[in-house]
Amino acid sequence: MSAVVAQTLHVFGLRSHVANNIFYFDEQIIIFPSGNHCVKYNVDQKWQKFIPGSEKSQGMLALSISPNRRYLAISETVQEKPAITIYELSSIPCRKRKVLNNFDFQVQKFISMAFSPDSKYLLAQTSPPESNLVYWLWEKQKVMAIVRIDTQNNPVYQVSFSPQDNTQVCVTGNGMFKLLRFAEGTLKQTSFQRGEPQNYLAHTWVADDKIVVGTDTGKLFLFESGDQRWETSIMVKEPTNGSKSLDVIQESESLIEFPPVSSPLPSYEQMVAASSHSQMSMPQVFAIAAYSKGFACSAGPGRVLLFEKMEEKDFYRESREIRIPVDPQSNDPSQSDKQDVLCLCFSPSEETLVASTSKNQLYSITMSLTEISKGEPAHFEYLMYPLHSAPITGLATCIRKPLIATCSLDRSIRLWNYETNTLELFKEYQEEAYSISLHPSGHFIVVGFADKLRLMNLLIDDIRSFKEYSVRGCGECSFSNGGHLFAAVNGNVIHVYTTTSLENISSLKGHTGKIRSIVWNADDSKLISGGTDGAVYEWNLSTGKRETECVLKSCSYNCVTVSPDAKIIFAVGSDHTLKEIADSLILREISAFDVTYTAIVISHSGRMMFVGTSVGTIRAMKYPLPLQKEFNEYQAHAGPITKMLLTFDDQFLLTAAEDGCLFTWKVFDKDGRGIKREREVGFAEEVLVTKTDMEEKYFLCTRSSLVCWPGMQKCA
């Protein structure tokens, strides 16, 4: 097997659309999905431990933790087939206890799961059109009962057990609220819905036989043994002056008439668009969580309400409002809190409430702070730091500082520290950002926005533009290793600029299709490019001409890189191979084995290589590349990998993907030792100029070596 090993160190990201996506393992540790992992995160000590997805997993769909907090169930799709994997959380590392993947009934995927109060049984709901509810004795992989919940292809959102009774279960969905009881090998419905059907989005048990249910029209119902006992409606009032207030507008013991719900659950964007056309919008209750005093529920974008039980009767009254705070770093602060709360969870002691949102953010609040607010809304704070909410399009690192720069389709730029695992700086903009590069010094960046290419200073608390270029939609940009040049792609042309005068010194033309990847060789004398036209070109920066070219029109290239000695180019693309190219010829083609390689990087030492795949996995290979299928493959992301980098010392691998997550990996050799670079090339501390009768040469004094830069332009 490969001698190269990669170990996950830290993940920056959340997959918010996994059902039941956040819960407490104990008072300090929370569990949430990120990429194709489940993360155990210690809130106090800030460490992370990981439960990777199954081999060949296509992504997690739903999670559930057992009441005794010993087991975690993960619903996945593995090689187009559904599977439920149950892990034992108490073991270190967490080990697989059971895998449920052989079914004698039709199933496409499991969309919601719940453990019984004694943790011995598992309830799982399948998606339409089958819509089966399955009751398992999971330890023995035995199906105790199965029943079809719906025949109309309506979505089912949540299933649960009564907190005290293994035999009583609840199912909610669009037009569906059902209580069932397990008896004599069957699940039988014990209550039948009366009144107008609702789109029931979420529910929670507040007592042995009492359930609070929320709808997409802002209604809350209390059912006791299937009979409605209480109802209230939440509305967001939007006065014309733009200020908003959230009130419980009516309470009664009878149904309030609303138009019947006939459409499926609208998306967050559809809901915002619809509410902007009316003065009264009805908040959707996506999440409800019970605690000893009552329950918390989401109440429209950016808001959570706490309800407490009234002592004299089985009704609830609103006691507190908690809001997601406005983010001052947002391009439009008035919209930064407009995100739906999708999941709520109380800590075991009920001291903390955590929330996940539709924009992939995690928030928390200390419950004692809600008591101090005295009528004013309390505010969440970030559980960790603001995370990306859309695919990451650019990734960069530098030599001088342990920084990672990322840009995303969420219109933000973020700087992370891979030593402290913190967010150092972030800012949102009006335009999407497609590419980013960090100067070797770590003091400024170049960013390709949809409208312009911008050089930007990194300040203590801000990112400020100081030079703009009229390059629209720059998909690739890169500083040279010495930092004296940077290249930016404009469609099928590469513009090269100098960082001394900030002027365009060369335009490299030759590609007939979009350029997807550029990379500098070690001494910055050459630039290698690959594109959708199937061309891989090697450019001489002194002459601005192509030195070598390799064109294969049947392949659209995703990424190129070059060996440290600049003799071999490596390219990956749409034809499922990894190519070694030298002197305009393809030396070898190595199969990707049924996946598409989307990214590639070779170490500065030249001894190891990493490739990212279209299914989100990482493959670690030794170099020279083996002829056989010899690599270590790691579950990483829940979408195609967009960018990969190694830090300058080859100690850390960085990966980013369409799932909006950023991973840092520690790289080891087969004996567990960290791999060291044999030679380090840093950015220029000083430029030395020597003259001979034949030519004028420029030398860059770096941290550990003196490098001749024949391609360097003379400074004014």
Side-chain angles (χ1 to χ4, degrees):
M1 286 298 290
S2 169
V4 181
V5 178
Q7 176 185 333
T8 315
L9 280 184
H10 203 86
V11 181
F12 304 92
L14 168 72
R15 290 197 62 220
S16 62
H17 292 284
V18 174
N20 195 21
N21 57 49
I22 186 165
F23 34 76
Y24 274 88
F25 173 62
D26 58 29
E27 198 62 38
Q28 287 80 38
I29 298 174
I30 60 168
I31 298 176
F32 59 89
S34 183
N36 206 22
H37 287 63
C38 272
V39 181
K40 289 176 71 176
Y41 174 68
N42 189 299
V43 178
D44 295 333
Q45 300 175 17
K46 311 299 183 187
W47 53 253
Q48 291 184 350
K49 289 184 168 46
F50 304 93
I51 305 169
S54 301
E55 187 177 349
K56 299 188 184 301
S57 169
Q58 293 164 261
M60 298 176 182
L61 300 170
L63 306 178
S64 182
I65 193 169
S66 61
N68 62 12
R69 291 181 165 81
R70 284 187 59 188
Y71 307 111
L72 173 68
I74 302 176
S75 164
E76 299 172 282
T77 302
V78 181
Q79 290 185 300
E80 309 294 337
K81 296 180 180 179
I84 296 175
T85 307
I86 299 169
Y87 290 86
E88 193 163 337
L89 293 173
S90 54
S91 63
I92 301 177
C94 300
R95 68 180 182 91
K96 289 184 181 180
R97 184 68 177 262
K98 278 288 181 289
V99 179
L100 309 175
N101 56 8
N102 291 317
F103 312 112
D104 54 5
F105 51 87
Q106 289 291 318
V107 54
Q108 294 183 19
K109 55 187 177 182
F110 294 100
I111 55 175
S112 181
M113 301 179 296
F115 280 95
S116 62
D118 62 5
S119 304
K120 292 181 179 179
Y121 298 93
L122 182 69
L123 201 61
Q125 176 66 48
T126 72
S127 62
E130 296 85 14
S131 298
N132 287 320
L133 181 65
V134 189
Y135 188 99
W136 259 297
L137 181 62
W138 64 266
E139 193 78 70
K140 296 184 178 179
Q141 302 185 16
K142 181 180 179 181
V143 175
M144 306 297 291
I146 184 170
V147 63
R148 189 170 186 183
I149 286 295
D150 182 66
T151 58
Q152 307 297 318
N153 284 349
N154 289 319
V156 181
Y157 301 123
Q158 186 182 352
V159 299
S160 66
F161 275 97
S162 164
Q164 303 295 331
D165 188 349
N166 280 352
T167 66
Q168 191 169 4
V169 301
C170 178
V171 182
T172 52
N174 192 352
M176 189 187 317
F177 170 78
K178 294 185 179 182
L179 289 174
L180 302 98
R181 186 172 291 278
F182 174 72
E184 300 175 352
T186 60
L187 281 166
K188 294 182 179 179
Q189 190 169 344
T190 59
S191 68
F192 294 88
Q193 193 170 315
R194 293 183 286 274
E196 194 71 47
Q198 303 284 331
N199 191 359
Y200 298 108
L201 301 181
H203 69 261
T204 190
W205 296 76
V206 291
D208 295 354
D209 56 352
K210 294 176 183 176
I211 303 171
V212 173
V213 188
T215 76
D216 69 339
T217 55
K219 292 183 180 180
L220 292 170
F221 297 100
L222 174 67
F223 291 99
E224 183 176 2
S225 301
D227 297 323
Q228 184 186 321
R229 300 297 185 197
W230 171 80
E231 178 205 347
T232 190
S233 291
I234 308 159
M235 285 229 175
V236 179
K237 297 180 181 178
E238 298 192 67
T240 53
N241 63 9
S243 63
K244 297 184 180 181
S245 61
L246 190 72
D247 298 308
V248 176
I249 62 164
Q250 186 170 355
E251 292 192 13
S252 72
E253 295 181 53
S254 62
L255 288 172
I256 300 175
E257 290 296 323
F258 280 109
V261 179
S262 57
S263 60
L265 175 65
S267 68
Y268 173 71
E269 291 78 9
Q270 289 170 330
M271 183 190 67
V272 171
S275 65
S276 64
H277 296 299
S278 65
Q279 290 299 102
M280 300 288 286
S281 62
M282 294 177 286
Q284 302 183 77
V285 183
F286 285 109
I288 309 179
Y291 72 121
S292 57
K293 293 182 179 180
F295 63 91
C297 70
S298 61
R303 291 175 171 89
V304 170
L305 293 181
L306 297 180
F307 282 83
E308 293 185 2
K309 189 173 183 296
M310 298 170 68
E311 294 180 4
E312 63 274 14
K313 45 188 177 180
D314 288 337
F315 296 161
Y316 291 83
R317 63 175 179 84
E318 181 197 342
S319 59
R320 289 288 183 274
E321 178 184 354
I322 310 170
R323 294 184 184 178
I324 292 173
V326 171
D327 194 333
Q329 298 297 327
S330 173
N331 168 56
D332 185 358
S334 67
Q335 295 297 315
S336 62
D337 59 339
K338 302 301 181 290
Q339 45 188 318
D340 280 311
V341 174
L342 299 183
C343 195
L344 292 166
C345 183
F346 286 95
S347 63
S349 67
E350 299 183 354
E351 288 183 6
T352 308
L353 174 65
V354 294
S356 66
T357 76
S358 56
K359 289 189 177 179
N360 295 349
Q361 304 301 322
L362 289 170
Y363 292 95
S364 69
I365 189 168
T366 303
M367 291 298 289
S368 58
L369 294 178
T370 65
E371 305 296 330
I372 303 170
S373 56
K374 290 187 179 180
E376 289 295 317
H379 286 88
F380 284 106
E381 58 184 21
Y382 285 110
L383 181 70
M384 298 178 287
Y385 26 67
L387 301 166
H388 279 300
S389 59
I392 295 174
T393 52
L395 175 68
T397 187
C398 66
I399 296 171
R400 197 65 179 270
K401 300 177 182 179
L403 294 179
I404 308 168
T406 56
C407 64
S408 166
L409 296 183
D410 62 14
R411 304 182 178 184
S412 74
I413 295 172
R414 293 165 203 256
L415 268 87
W416 316 84
N417 188 310
Y418 61 79
E419 287 184 353
T420 60
N421 297 320
T422 55
L423 179 66
E424 299 260 322
L425 198 58
F426 91 102
K427 193 171 182 180
E428 290 186 6
Y429 297 87
Q430 292 182 345
E431 301 287 339
E432 292 180 341
Y434 300 130
S435 59
I436 193 168
S437 185
L438 190 56
H439 189 269
S441 66
H443 292 312
F444 50 97
I445 55 175
V446 59
V447 185
F449 287 98
D451 61 340
K452 288 183 179 179
L453 179 74
R454 291 181 172 90
L455 268 172
M456 312 180 87
N457 276 320
L458 301 178
L459 308 179
I460 293 174
D461 57 357
D462 195 12
I463 304 172
R464 196 169 297 168
S465 175
F466 67 90
K467 179 68 175 176
E468 295 183 348
Y469 301 90
S470 56
V471 178
R472 296 175 63 87
C474 173
E476 288 292 321
C477 60
S478 178
F479 277 107
S480 62
N481 295 298
H484 59 295
L485 303 171
F486 67 91
V489 170
N490 186 5
N492 57 5
V493 179
I494 305 170
H495 298 296
V496 181
Y497 302 85
T498 172
T499 56
T500 53
S501 65
L502 306 181
E503 293 178 354
N504 182 0
I505 59 172
S506 182
S507 293
L508 310 177
K509 300 177 181 179
H511 281 278
T512 58
K514 186 177 180 181
I515 299 170
R516 296 288 301 275
S517 180
I518 55 174
V519 63
W520 298 86
N521 71 338
D523 67 2
D524 292 342
S525 62
K526 297 174 184 177
L527 190 68
I528 293 89
S529 62
T532 58
D533 54 359
V536 175
Y537 294 145
E538 183 179 4
W539 306 87
N540 186 309
L541 270 298
S542 296
T543 63
K545 305 293 184 183
R546 281 179 289 188
E547 280 200 350
T548 68
E549 57 185 83
C550 180
V551 182
L552 185 67
K553 293 192 175 181
S554 61
C555 179
S556 174
Y557 287 107
N558 295 321
C559 190
V560 295
T561 191
V562 64
S563 61
D565 60 8
K567 291 181 179 179
I568 299 176
I569 299 168
F570 305 93
V572 294
S574 59
D575 63 351
H576 309 289
T577 63
L578 188 163
K579 295 179 178 60
E580 287 186 66
I581 301 169
D583 298 324
S584 302
L585 298 173
I586 298 175
L587 303 182
R588 278 206 301 170
E589 289 187 282
I590 299 158
S591 173
F593 304 101
D594 301 325
V595 299
T596 300
Y597 287 152
T598 56
I600 184 170
V601 63
I602 190 169
S603 66
H604 301 86
S605 67
R607 296 204 303 265
M608 56 183 178
M609 182 177 287
F610 298 90
V611 289
T613 72
S614 55
V615 295
T617 58
I618 304 294
R619 291 180 177 177
M621 310 172 183
K622 60 186 177 183
Y623 188 81
L625 295 171
L627 295 174
Q628 293 80 24
K629 188 178 180 180
E630 291 185 16
F631 50 77
N632 287 329
E633 187 161 18
Y634 300 96
Q635 296 298 317
H637 294 273
I641 289 171
T642 53
K643 299 291 176 183
M644 296 178 70
L645 286 178
L646 280 160
T647 55
F648 75 96
D649 56 3
D650 288 343
Q651 292 289 300
F652 301 99
L653 174 70
L654 315 173
T655 62
E658 289 184 10
D659 61 5
C661 297
L662 169 67
F663 278 65
T664 63
W665 308 73
K666 180 70 174 175
V667 177
F668 297 93
D669 64 12
K670 64 181 178 181
D671 299 318
R673 296 188 299 267
I675 297 177
K676 300 285 186 183
R677 276 185 61 180
E678 291 178 344
R679 175 177 174 271
E680 177 188 317
V681 177
F683 71 95
E685 301 281 4
E686 187 179 357
V687 179
L688 304 181
V689 183
T690 63
K691 287 188 177 181
T692 66
D693 294 336
M694 300 296 294
E695 60 180 343
E696 185 174 302
K697 288 187 178 180
Y698 295 84
F699 292 84
L700 298 185
C701 296
T702 70
R703 289 179 180 178
S704 59
S705 56
L706 187 67
V707 182
C708 176
W709 239 268
M712 183 175 175
Q713 302 293 317
K714 182 177 179 180
C715 300

